[in-house]
């Protein structure tokens, strides 16, 4: 089964590039099958990682950034591939 973990954060106004750089620099304990990083208006950053694992497996995730970098708590979602 393939599981995708989504991590999305919104930077403090004007700090979108800082948040993007922070997210890209984060290393996970185990490398995922695939990892993509996106940015969007309003200084938002999205990271999606794909894993060959069961839906409820314990997987490494990006941490919460420093509170001075983000305007709210990180949003996290977990999805499984459907055939």
């Amino acid at each position: 089964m393939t599981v995708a973990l989504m991590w999305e954060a919104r930077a403090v106004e004007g700090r979108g590039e800082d948040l993007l750089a922070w997210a890209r620099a984060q290393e996970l304990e185990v490398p995922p099958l695939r990892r993509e990083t996106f940015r969007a208006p309003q200084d938002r950053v999205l990271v999606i990682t794909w894993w060959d694992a069961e839906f409820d497996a314990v997987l490494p995730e990006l941490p919460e950034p420093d509170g001075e970098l983000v305007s709210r708590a990180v949003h996290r979602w977990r999805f499984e591939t459907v055939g």
Side-chain angles (χ1 to χ4, degrees):
M1 167 185 300
T2 301
V3 175
L5 301 183
M6 295 179 62
W7 177 100
E8 187 264 343
R10 184 171 179 184
V12 171
E13 187 174 337
R15 304 267 330 255
E17 289 300 318
D18 295 333
L19 178 59
L20 178 61
W22 180 91
R24 294 178 86 182
Q26 299 306 302
E27 294 186 23
L28 299 170
E29 298 169 15
V30 178
L33 296 173
R34 181 173 162 192
R35 176 176 171 165
E36 289 191 55
T37 304
F38 303 86
R39 66 175 156 198
Q42 301 176 330
D43 292 324
R44 290 179 294 145
V45 173
L46 171 68
V47 178
I48 305 174
T49 56
W50 285 264
W51 304 88
D52 181 16
E54 294 299 317
F55 187 80
D56 57 354
V58 176
L59 298 168
E61 295 192 47
L62 272 67
E64 290 275 336
D66 179 41
E68 296 178 6
L69 187 57
V70 292
S71 62
R72 59 164 169 72
V74 168
H75 292 174
R76 301 171 192 272
W77 300 277
R78 185 175 285 224
F79 297 89
E80 64 183 345
T81 301
V82 293

